[in-house]
Amino acid sequence: MDKLIIKGGVSLNGEIRIAGAKNSALPILAASLLTRDTVQIRNLPHLYDITTMLELLGCMGVEPIVDEKLSVEINSGTINSFSAPYELVKTMRASILVLGPLLACYGQAEVALPGGCAIGSRPVNLHISALESMGASIRVEDGYIKATVDGRLKGSHIFMDLVTVTGTENVMMAATLADGRTVIENAAREPEVVDLANCLIEMGARIEGQGTDTVIIDGVPELHGCSYSVMPDRIETGTYLIAAAATRGRVRVKDTRPDILDAVLAKLEQAGADIKVGKDWIELDMHGRRPRSVSLRTAPYPAFPTDMQAQFTALNAIAEGTGSITETVFENRFMHVHEMNRMGAAIRVEGNTVIVDGVEMLKGAPVMATDLRASASLIIAGLVSDNETSVDRIYHIDRGYECIEEKLQLLGAKIRRVPS
Ligand code: EPU
């Protein structure tokens, strides 16, 4: 297991390229199971979670071909198993995304039931009840979701009790091959849902309303192959911008999408950042100033993303003033707070809110990453500490940030990876 050693106190400065979005790439890889034609997926990020999804396809008898330009060709014609084993699901909950495609295309699926994780209990009851309303028979037995359907799934009118991203994606994929019309109400509006819908449309699906809270899918008898480029990662983009703001730096991120980052850019401006955007780039300049604290509340898109609150907690930790951050999506997403307090931050948790009194600088310390975004926030905390910080258990970060230490080094950070 590796760890990252960070020597803080450097203002980030420079330009980096943003990778393809993890949370788009994962459902799009699962969508390749909806056709026996070849699907080519371009701009895949180089991440552990992507490798895990490719491994999952591999253990079903599908052999993805990856080229050096980070594109992959998948032909699921060789599929010989319809099961997602616990060994893979326990390392990546997004494995649940094969449930809808397998059921819709092959009439059967067995997916290990994901357990809770570091950020919350994260049940998948809404995925299951929606697929049941489309005619699937589903049992949860021996730790597995065992689903079958006789013939095609049937179009259905589904109201999602909660906004769920992968739930919306699973049902949308299943509905593309169902008999008749499916309407998903209270659907997730996340850009990653739209990216998946756009890929499915390229494959011949009939979908409308993606990006709104009502998605309408008219099932077709079959889908075909396509070549699709995954959209840029908005969370990776935001993470580097926050790191730049926290270190009073100036950074330009390219190959990204400013139009899907409104809530994050507005908070960075409130923190005192000067922001310029072009079609596919964002430039942030703090002009050497200390950031001001911001207050925010997470909620489904287009509101402020839960995947960015830990990074803003790190920014607030060294900002001028007091800020409060309220988490409404997951029940336990504050594990980073206790680690930051060990670095001299003044943060207290009150229910689902953290109150952060900014201090001038954090103090380097050994800290431990607990989940992907918490790890990113601890790296930012390390960048604004007066000494050396080591972040342990960084396998979490490799799940969702491509070459993080190389990209930060390009921006001038003193960071290196060493074996623990
Ligand atoms: N929920 C239920 N029942 C369900 C489904 C969800 O109660 O059947 C609850 C969850 O427990 C949670 C809320 O609904 O409290 C929202 O969860 P959602 O289903 O939207 O989360 P997800 O689909 O499992 C995706 C991302 C997460 C991101 C969330 C919220 C992927 C692969 N994962 O998770 O990304 O935080 O949406 O935007 O798309 C990350 O990248 O670090 C990450 C955790």
Side-chain angles (χ1 to χ4, degrees), residues 86 89 93 113-117 120-122:
Y86 180 64
V89 177
R93 304 176 54 84
L113 185 67
C117 79
S121 60
R122 304 184 75 183

Side-chain angles (χ1 to χ4, degrees), residues 22-23 26 94 119 122-127 162-167 169 190 306-307 329-331 333 372-373:
K22 167 178 85 77
N23 290 348
L26 292 172
I119 62 177
R122 304 184 75 183
V124 290
N125 56 311
L126 301 174
H127 302 230
L162 283 171
V163 176
T164 159
V165 176
T166 50
E169 292 167 345
E190 267 64 8
T306 172
D307 290 343
V329 179
F330 291 110
E331 64 268 30
R333 215 173 190 184
L372 172 55
R373 308 304 170 186

Side-chain angles (χ1 to χ4, degrees), residues 196-244:
L196 170 65
N198 289 341
C199 175
L200 292 168
I201 291 168
E202 291 282 311
M203 294 168 72
R206 290 176 55 201
I207 304 176
E208 281 172 27
Q210 63 274 26
T212 75
D213 62 5
T214 307
V215 181
I216 302 169
I217 308 110
D218 285 304
V220 293
E222 57 180 29
L223 297 180
H224 51 72
C226 76
S227 174
Y228 192 79
S229 181
V230 173
M231 71 171 207
D233 197 309
R234 64 190 168 106
I235 307 300
E236 188 196 21
T237 303
T239 300
Y240 285 105
L241 294 177
I242 296 170

Side-chain angles (χ1 to χ4, degrees), residues 133-144:
S133 83
M134 298 173 77
S137 304
I138 304 187
R139 287 170 296 141
V140 177
E141 217 173 63
D142 312 322
Y144 275 76

Side-chain angles (χ1 to χ4, degrees), residues 20 53 72 89 116 142 144 203 209 248 259 287 320 329 341 355 398 408:
M53 187 57 99
V72 63
V89 177
D142 312 322
Y144 275 76
M203 294 168 72
R248 310 182 186 195
D259 61 308
H287 301 288
E320 201 180 321
V329 179
N341 282 344
I355 321 273
D398 295 328
L408 284 170

